[in-house]
Amino acid sequence: MPFSRTIPTNDQPLVVAKILHFRRQAPWMYALLSINAAALAYSHIGYAPRILTHAIPAMLVLLALWRVIAWVLPPSAAMLTEAGAARKIRQTTVLGAFFAIAFVTWALCLARYGGPYQQGHVVVFIGTTVLGCLFCLTHLPAAATAVGVLVNVPFLLYSALNGNTVFTAVALNIALVTAVFLIVLRDAHQIFENLVASRNALVVERQQAQRPSDENRALAHTDSLTGLPNRRYFFGALETLLASRQGAASPVPPAPFCVGVLDLDRFKAINDTYGHVCGDRLLGAIGARLAADTHAPMTVARLGGDEFGVLYDGPPEQAEPAIRHLCESIHRPIAIDGLEVTLGCSAGIAVYPEAGTTAHALFDRSDYALYHVKAHQRGGCAVFSHEQEALIRVEQRVEAALQVACLERELEVHFQPIFDTRTMTVSSVEALARWKSPVLGEVPPETLIAAAERLGIINAVTLTLFARALESLAVLPDPISLSFNLSAQDLMSRTTMREIVRMILATNISPKRIIFEVTETSLVTDMATAREALERVRSVGVRTALDDFGTGYSSLGSLQELPLDILKIDRTFVNGMATGTGRSMVAAIRNLAQSLSLDCTMEGIETESQLIEVSLAGYRYAQGYLLGRPMPIDALLMTLRDHHVQLPDPAPRSLSAVRIG
Ligand code: C2E
Ligand code: CA
Ligand code: CA
């Protein structure tokens, strides 16, 4: 049974492929049927009754043309489904059978009329039309078999019953050719089925091969600690958002979207105090909170460390409250390993297109907004503003000037005296950088240091300043020490720290006369390296001071572990001393320092009463405008001389202490 196989309805692509292939041939098949029938009717006009030459063929041709139109129209959605295609194939088989019976019956009715030419035409009509139709039915074997059988059997029977031997011989010929045709078509159809099957297998294989790479891709885009999307995903999504806005040129301004950066406050201190395992758990818990609070059109990713990125496909009026909500969510206490930890979270937001039109610019601006939030209102959330844009311009001008600056010529060091409150003598001087740029004029030291850090040239700046400071220290009397500020990046650079030690040892100055001041922020960046750097300088006799105490976020636990000698209290505490709470704070810090065996320096003393209060509170050292402003070395020496302080050679060295004013 060549085409006895039923159509495999469980193989959707195969049935769909079959019907789609047939769809291309169907119009030709019905057109062939119509034209051949019209020709046969025409050749019988005048020989056969009008009903056989006009009415019936007209009706048959109209039916065939209806099918032509039906197949020329685009396929319905249902026809492209497994069930729809199978149904269509069944319909086609039934219709094929109907057409076969109708046409062959009509043709055999005509065979009784006319002469040998007309009768010959009937035979030719049946033979050629059936073969043409079989060709077109290559992909529908059931229909082809039905048509072949339903045409040939009646034709053979008719010929045999009529006793017309020529007719019978031709009918046998046609039946034979039809049988061979069906066999050939079966093979062709088998090849077609195999082709579709191997194509399907290939697709499945590809899908299977694709699955691990999809999983890998998902993994490559996920942060393993928090389960949130990672940095790579974040920047990819940001680029996609940008592309969606920058695609077609449109007179309507592009819809805004927001890029946010979240940064945890105090995370590093907790990580250092309680260990990395606890830190990792904390990040995991924060990741879960962020994921729970993230809803479209917002995406939150972990960018690394304790930094998270937010994309909000909407205006800042919507993005800001949503991001603020994330910060508040992080701020709720978290229970980890029996500890209850409360973290802060600050956020900066940049809005496309105002803040920038590239991923780099937008991220940079949001980071900048974050930096400002952290400096001015920790735990807050701010959108990058025009004022910040102006500040960036200023910073860029400073960076440009610093890049071309001759450090040796343009940098200077001023010195501010620090007093011993017990003797009211100068115990040390703090070296403070001064930069007079030929382009910008005088630039505040904080601006200089921040720009040098951004440009990555802080080490060169520090070494230049330190060399100057050492030169000046050499002309100061022995008991006076030098307090020198180191930046976080100096502590992190082993080469710089080595060079600093080398410079100290290359002079005749006792390392005991040198104090390095570091800020809490510089310590929390990388506590271990900072500790190592401080231990290294302390090993040669240098002392260390923690600057601006009370403004940073290092934990008291790590304070105890650090190799420190002096605690310098930020001047904000002096201003607060007018109140009872302020005074208690100052006293509490003093007690804390004492319990850690640290000396204390109070900064920012501007009034007599402040000086008296800090002295009474037990602060060993005091510094401030009241006691002396930062001044060039010559001015400092002059002041010391005015106060009869004996200076080292060429001035003779004597005094054990120096008193100014
Ligand atoms: P700092 O280390 O806290 O230095 C003390 C700052 O407080 C100095 O500002 C000083 O002029 C100012 N000051 C001292 N007494 C008073 C006072 O009674 N009232 C007020 N309102 N201010 C007072 P300056 O020189 O502008 O330095 C600012 C900051 O720049 C320094 O703060 C320090 O963080 C940084 N800096 C300065 N020189 C260097 C340096 O050579 N290296 C590094 N890394 N940073 C430096
Ligand atoms: Ca300082
Ligand atoms: Ca300070």
Side-chain angles (χ1 to χ4, degrees), residues 223-236:
D223 172 61
S224 55
L225 201 61
T226 58
L228 291 172
N230 63 10
R231 188 181 186 88
R232 183 194 295 204
Y233 177 88
F234 176 83
F235 282 100

Side-chain angles (χ1 to χ4, degrees), residues 159 161 211 328 398 404 435 572 603 655:
S159 310
L161 291 175
R211 207 165 296 142
E328 286 160 6
V398 171
V404 296
W435 177 27
T572 46
E603 296 186 300
L655 275 185

Side-chain angles (χ1 to χ4, degrees), residues 597-639:
S597 312
L598 300 175
D599 276 327
C600 262
T601 306
M602 182 57 88
E603 296 186 300
I605 303 290
E606 291 183 355
T607 65
E608 290 278 355
S609 60
Q610 285 170 346
L611 181 61
I612 293 165
E613 287 211 51
V614 296
S615 310
L616 291 176
Y619 280 75
R620 170 90 191 265
Y621 302 112
Q623 176 181 6
Y625 290 167
L626 174 77
L627 299 160
R629 288 186 174 252
M631 58 191 104
I633 184 67
D634 294 341
L636 178 71
L637 290 174
M638 212 116 72
T639 317

Side-chain angles (χ1 to χ4, degrees), residues 225 267 270-271 274-284 336-337:
L225 201 61
F267 175 76
I270 290 172
N271 206 30
Y274 299 110
H276 289 272
V277 177
C278 176
D280 284 358
R281 289 217 188 112
L282 199 54
L283 284 174
I336 299 278
D337 298 340

Side-chain angles (χ1 to χ4, degrees), residues 307-631:
E307 197 180 54
F308 297 84
V310 182
L311 293 178
Y312 193 100
D313 194 355
E317 299 77 44
Q318 291 168 13
E320 201 186 335
I323 293 174
R324 210 176 273 282
H325 177 72
L326 292 182
C327 292
E328 286 160 6
S329 166
I330 289 176
H331 192 60
R332 290 200 316 269
I334 303 173
I336 299 278
D337 298 340
L339 282 172
E340 196 177 75
V341 183
T342 306
L343 288 174
C345 177
S346 309
I349 303 170
V351 186
Y352 172 88
E354 286 104 273
T357 51
T358 63
H360 178 78
L362 285 166
F363 187 72
D364 231 43
R365 301 296 194 260
S366 58
D367 207 34
Y368 198 81
L370 171 71
Y371 168 81
H372 271 260
V373 167
K374 283 189 106 93
H376 304 294
Q377 42 148 156
R378 249 168 208 273
C381 167
V383 179
F384 182 79
S385 63
H386 290 294
E387 295 82 69
Q388 288 171 349
E389 184 72 60
L391 269 175
I392 285 192
R393 295 232 174 80
V394 170
E395 283 181 357
Q396 283 169 344
R397 283 177 56 215
V398 171
E399 283 172 20
L402 186 57
Q403 259 165 332
V404 296
C406 169
L407 298 180
E408 289 290 336
R409 203 172 49 231
E410 294 174 32
L411 290 187
E412 262 188 54
V413 181
H414 282 195
F415 299 90
Q416 185 179 28
I418 298 171
F419 276 70
D420 186 327
T421 56
R422 292 178 306 188
T423 56
M424 283 315 290
T425 54
V426 174
S427 82
S428 59
V429 288
E430 179 173 3
L432 294 160
R434 295 293 178 259
W435 177 27
K436 191 159 185 195
S437 154
V439 190
L440 303 170
E442 276 180 19
V443 178
E446 279 139 326
T447 311
L448 158 74
I449 302 298
E453 283 181 340
R454 284 195 303 276
L455 290 175
I457 58 164
I458 182 67
N459 298 155
V461 169
T462 299
L463 293 176
T464 309
L465 292 168
F466 189 55
R468 287 285 173 81
L470 279 181
E471 277 169 24
S472 300
L473 182 61
V475 297
L476 286 173
D478 218 357
I480 297 182
S481 301
L482 168 78
S483 224
F484 187 85
N485 294 286
L486 289 179
S487 115
Q489 287 184 25
D490 296 327
L491 290 180
M492 296 305 126
S493 160
R494 287 198 173 83
T495 327
T496 310
M497 295 312 292
R498 214 177 297 128
E499 179 59 13
I500 282 175
V501 170
R502 193 201 60 77
M503 284 164 80
I504 298 170
L505 300 179
T507 63
N508 289 327
I509 299 166
S510 161
K512 290 198 180 67
R513 291 181 66 201
I514 294 168
I515 301 160
F516 283 129
E517 295 188 10
V518 294
T519 58
E520 292 186 272
T521 0
S522 67
L523 296 173
V524 292
T525 322
D526 180 351
M527 185 66 93
T529 315
R531 187 188 298 132
E532 192 188 304
L534 294 181
E535 272 161 2
R536 171 89 185 87
V537 290
R538 266 178 120 227
S539 69
V540 296
V542 168
R543 280 175 293 159
T544 56
L546 185 63
D547 203 0
D548 302 342
F549 181 76
T551 56
Y553 282 88
S554 76
S555 74
L556 297 180
S558 49
L559 199 62
Q560 196 177 8
E561 286 170 37
L562 281 168
L564 292 171
D565 300 287
I566 301 164
L567 210 54
K568 286 190 83 175
I569 320 302
D570 193 72
R571 65 169 173 271
T572 46
F573 287 91
V574 168
N575 301 330
M577 264 179 9
T579 67
T581 340
R583 271 194 297 276
S584 313
M585 286 275 278
V586 168
I589 294 172
R590 161 80 189 106
N591 291 340
L592 170 79
Q594 202 163 28
S595 67
L596 296 171
S597 312
L598 300 175
D599 276 327
C600 262
T601 306
M602 182 57 88
E603 296 186 300
I605 303 290
E606 291 183 355
T607 65
E608 290 278 355
S609 60
Q610 285 170 346
L611 181 61
I612 293 165
E613 287 211 51
V614 296
S615 310
L616 291 176
Y619 280 75
R620 170 90 191 265
Y621 302 112
Q623 176 181 6
Y625 290 167
L626 174 77
L627 299 160
R629 288 186 174 252
M631 58 191 104

